[in-house]
Amino acid sequence: MTRPLSHPASPWLDWQGLGGWNIYFLAKFALLWAGYLNFHPLINLVFAAALLFPLPWAWLRRVRHWVALPVGVGIFYHDTWLPGIESIQSQGAQVFSFTLDYWLELLGRFINWEMIGAGFIMLTLYLFIAQWLRFTPWILLTLIGLWLSPIVGNPFASQEGSTASQTQPKSSAPESAGKTVSMTEQLDQSAPPTNQNLNAYLDDFYGEERDRLVSLPATLPAKAAPFDLLIINICSLAWSDVEASGLTEHPIWRHFDVMFKHFNAATSYSGPASIRLLRASCGQTSHQGLYVTPPGQCLLFNNLARLGFEQQVAMDHSGAFGNYLKDLKQYASLSVPLMSKEGMAHDLASFDGEPIYRTSDVLGHWLSEREKSKAARNVTFFNLIALHDGNRYAANRQIAPYKARLQTLLDQLDSFLKALEQSGRKVAVVVVPEHGAAISGDRMQMAGLRDIPSPSITQVPVGVALIGTKAPHEATRHIDSPSSFLAVAELTSRLVGGDLFDSDTIDWNALLDNLPETPSVAENQGSVVIEYQDKYHIKLGQGDWVPYPQ
C-alpha cells in the first residue's frame, strides 16, 4: 500500500514553511529599509533556518514554537539601536528612581502611531496576498542576499538615509572661522572606511590624544590681570535642540565674544561630560580611561587653584543622582564643598522628584558671595540641570516643555551677563554644555534617549564672554574648526597668562589663532561614533562599524 501524495515519504521532508514568522521578517525588512535597524543577516538567517527545519514530531514543533517566541524577541532587540545589556546594567539603579509619571511619558514617546498604522497595513496586505503567494522562499532569498551582500543592508538603504549620512549635522552658528592647528591632517583618513581601517583610525586617534597636553603658566606673569573664571556646565543643550526650539536668534548668542561652531562634547551623559571638562588640559581619552585616577597635569580646575584662583562649586541640584558629585570628586579631584542653596527658590523638580533651583538664584548667589570675598581671582564650576529630560513644574507636577525651560535659562543667563557688566567685575564666562537633550530624536534613538552619542547630541554651543574689559564688545567671533575640551584649556591658559582685561584693545589673533583642533570622536559605554571622510560611523559593543543612519 502506497502512502498518499499529501504525505512525504519521510517525516523529515515535511516542510511547513515559516507561517506567521513571515510577518516578523517582513516587518524587519521594512524597518531596515527605513533605516531603523542595525540588522544582523546571519543571525536572522540561522533563526529562519531553525524555524523552517523539518521536525518529525508534532510535539517537538510545538516546543520549537514556544522557544522561538523569546528568541525572536531577543534577536529583534539585538537588531535595534536600543541600549545594550551593558548599558542597561550600568544604569539599572538609576532608572528605578524615575517617578511613575516620567515612566508613562517615556512609554508615550516609545509608541510610534505612524509605525503601528503602517504595520497594520502590512499585516492586511500579507494576509490578502498570502492566499496566492508563498512568502517563505522570498524571505529566505532576501536573507541570503543580505548575508552575501558586500555592504550589509545596502538593498534596503533608503535614498534619504544614504545621503543624510554623508552630511554633517546642521549648526545654527554663523559662518566664520578662526585658524586652528589641524589635528585631522595628522590622522590619515585616506583609506576606505572598512571595519579594520576604522578600528585602526580610532586606535590612532587615542594614541595621538594620549600625548596632547595644555600647560598653564608655572607662575603668573607680573602683567597678568586678575579676573574671575566661571565655567558653566549645562546639561541637555546642543545646537540641534536650539534649532528645534526656534531660539537661534536669542540675544544670549550675541552676548558672547567667542563661539565654537563645531565643539564636540565627546559623550552624551552628564558624569563623563563633566569629568572630561574638568580634565580638559589633557587630550581626549576613551570612556574607560575616564574612570581611573586622573593625572595631575590634566586637572584644569586644580591647576588654576595653584595659580592663586579661589575655587568654588555651585549646582542647581544636589549631585546625588547617578553618583554625579561623587564621581567628580574621585575622577576629577573636585573636592570643593558645594555652595549653599539656602533661601533659593525652585520652580522645577527633576524626574526623580529632587528640587532644581532657579538658575538666576544660583548665579546671583555666586555674585553676591563674590562681592564679599577678598580673593583677587576666582574659578567657579557651575552645573545646571534645568533642561534635563523629565523635569516637571514643582507646583503641579506637570511636564515642563523643553522650549519654555530653554527660553527661561537663556533669559536668565543673559540677565546674569548684564549684571556682571554692571558690577564692574572682570570675568571670563565659559559656557560649556554637557551634551544635548535629543528632543527631536532620530532613526537610531527616540526623543530623549541618549545611549548613543550621535553628532546631534554631542555638537554643543560653547561660548566665551569676556566681561569687564577696557576694549568695547565687538561682533561675536566664531571658531569653525572641529574642537573639544583641549581648546577650552588652551584658551584659558592664554587668558590667564595675559593682560587682556587691562588692555585698551584685544589681540584676537593671539587669543584665537591655532587653538587645538580635535577630530570628532564620541564614546559612551558600549558605543562609539566617529567622523571619517566627512561621514559618521558607529560601532556598538564588539560589533562592526556601520554608517550612522540619519
Side-chain angles (χ1 to χ4, degrees):
M1 179 175 172
T2 59
R3 184 183 299 270
L5 294 177
S6 59
H7 297 281
S10 169
W12 293 103
L13 298 179
D14 187 13
W15 297 90
Q16 301 292 318
L18 290 173
W21 287 101
N22 283 311
I23 302 172
Y24 172 87
F25 288 107
L26 286 172
K28 281 192 171 183
F29 294 157
L31 290 172
L32 175 60
W33 175 82
Y36 288 102
L37 285 187
N38 181 28
F39 193 70
H40 301 82
L42 181 57
I43 295 176
N44 282 272
L45 187 58
V46 171
F47 182 53
L51 292 169
L52 193 61
F53 192 81
L55 297 176
W57 302 287
W59 68 268
L60 194 55
R61 291 195 293 269
R62 286 193 294 270
V63 170
R64 175 174 63 183
H65 170 74
W66 290 109
V67 171
L69 290 175
V71 173
V73 171
I75 294 176
F76 205 117
Y77 189 92
H78 182 59
D79 282 338
T80 69
W81 301 106
L82 293 171
I85 299 300
E86 290 182 358
S87 178
I88 294 174
Q89 289 176 341
S90 67
Q91 301 179 59
Q94 301 180 26
V95 298
F96 285 114
S97 64
F98 293 173
T99 57
L100 178 60
D101 53 355
Y102 186 43
W103 276 114
L104 294 175
E105 180 189 343
L106 292 176
L107 179 62
R109 293 184 203 168
F110 189 79
I111 299 174
N112 188 319
W113 293 107
E114 290 185 359
M115 283 191 177
I116 291 176
F120 177 71
I121 294 172
M122 285 185 58
L123 174 61
T124 304
L125 288 174
Y126 166 78
L127 294 174
F128 180 73
I129 298 173
Q131 298 178 88
W132 304 283
L133 178 67
R134 291 196 64 185
F135 278 84
T136 296
W138 301 105
I139 295 292
L140 291 176
L141 287 173
T142 303
L143 288 171
I144 292 172
L146 288 171
W147 177 39
L148 297 178
S149 174
I151 303 175
V152 175
N154 187 57
F156 291 88
S158 66
Q159 182 75 16
E160 180 184 354
S162 61
T163 56
S165 63
Q166 300 177 17
T167 61
Q168 298 186 23
K170 184 175 67 173
S171 171
S172 62
E175 296 289 341
S176 58
K179 299 177 182 178
T180 60
V181 175
S182 178
M183 176 68 176
T184 53
E185 293 179 0
Q186 302 176 29
L187 293 173
D188 183 22
Q189 292 193 0
S190 61
T194 63
N195 196 60
Q196 181 179 359
N197 290 339
L198 292 178
N199 281 330
Y201 174 81
L202 183 62
D203 291 340
D204 290 344
F205 170 80
Y206 283 131
E208 293 284 349
E209 290 294 303
R210 195 176 301 118
D211 298 327
R212 302 180 82 188
L213 174 68
V214 170
S215 298
L216 296 181
T219 58
L220 289 177
K223 66 173 184 177
F227 68 94
D228 296 336
L229 174 63
L230 306 186
I231 300 175
I232 303 179
N233 200 205
I234 302 174
C235 177
S236 302
L237 177 59
W239 281 121
S240 61
D241 303 317
V242 176
E243 292 165 355
S245 301
L247 292 172
T248 57
E249 299 301 321
H250 192 281
I252 185 68
W253 311 120
R254 296 187 294 274
H255 217 136
F256 290 114
D257 295 282
V258 180
M259 288 292 302
F260 287 84
K261 181 181 176 182
H262 295 297
F263 190 98
N264 176 34
T267 183
S268 56
Y269 281 126
S270 297
S274 296
I275 293 173
R276 290 186 184 279
L277 175 57
L278 291 169
R279 290 161 61 164
S281 293
C282 287
Q284 184 173 323
T285 185
S286 65
H287 177 82
Q288 184 179 2
L290 294 175
Y291 296 96
V292 296
T293 302
Q297 67 268 26
C298 298
L299 302 174
L300 177 63
F301 202 75
N302 288 3
N303 291 337
L304 287 167
R306 282 195 286 271
L307 292 176
F309 280 79
E310 172 192 49
Q311 299 182 75
Q312 286 183 294
V313 176
M315 300 180 181
D316 61 0
H317 58 107
S318 67
F321 182 79
N323 295 318
Y324 174 79
L325 189 56
K326 179 181 177 182
D327 284 349
L328 294 192
K329 290 179 180 179
Q330 183 173 357
Y331 301 115
S333 297
L334 190 70
S335 56
V336 183
L338 281 178
M339 187 179 296
S340 172
K341 303 180 186 66
E342 184 178 356
M344 295 185 188
H346 73 279
D347 304 312
L348 299 172
S350 68
F351 49 80
D352 61 350
E354 179 184 336
I356 301 173
Y357 297 92
R358 289 178 187 168
T359 299
S360 57
D361 283 11
V362 176
L363 298 174
H365 182 66
W366 174 87
L367 182 56
S368 176
E369 292 297 308
R370 185 67 183 102
E371 297 288 351
K372 303 173 186 176
S373 173
K374 296 181 179 179
R377 296 172 171 87
N378 175 283
V379 56
T380 300
F381 175 78
F382 291 90
N383 185 258
L384 307 175
I385 66 168
L387 301 180
H388 195 286
D389 190 47
N391 288 348
R392 302 288 199 268
Y393 289 120
N396 54 19
R397 296 297 302 167
Q398 295 297 313
I399 297 172
Y402 180 87
K403 180 178 179 179
R405 286 183 283 137
L406 179 57
Q407 177 77 53
T408 299
L409 177 71
L410 297 182
D411 288 347
Q412 293 179 352
L413 279 176
D414 198 47
S415 296
F416 175 65
L417 295 182
K418 293 176 181 177
L420 286 177
E421 292 171 344
Q422 294 172 1
S423 72
R425 304 201 64 82
K426 300 172 182 177
V427 187
V429 179
V430 183
V431 173
V432 186
E434 296 174 353
H435 52 73
I439 64 171
S440 298
D442 60 21
R443 289 181 173 175
M444 293 189 68
Q445 300 181 113
M446 67 179 185
L449 190 61
R450 294 179 283 102
D451 194 68
I452 295 171
S454 66
S456 63
I457 298 175
T458 60
Q459 295 292 321
V460 297
V462 172
V464 180
L466 304 175
I467 308 296
T469 61
K470 289 184 178 180
H473 176 72
E474 302 177 14
T476 304
R477 286 167 167 79
H478 298 276
I479 307 299
D480 189 51
S481 58
S483 308
S484 197
F485 300 104
L486 207 64
V488 172
E490 176 63 31
L491 185 56
T492 300
S493 179
R494 296 178 186 183
L495 289 172
V496 168
D499 60 348
L500 178 147
F501 286 90
D502 284 345
S503 299
D504 294 328
T505 59
I506 296 177
D507 187 347
W508 291 106
N509 291 332
L511 186 64
L512 301 180
D513 281 2
N514 298 317
L515 288 175
E517 180 180 316
T518 304
S520 182
V521 173
E523 183 178 4
N524 288 343
Q525 182 175 352
S527 60
V528 186
V529 177
I530 66 174
E531 185 180 13
Y532 189 87
Q533 296 180 349
D534 297 325
K535 303 176 186 177
Y536 286 95
H537 300 263
I538 178 172
K539 179 178 182 180
L540 298 179
Q542 300 302 313
D544 293 338
W545 292 94
V546 297
Y548 190 95
Q550 296 287 337

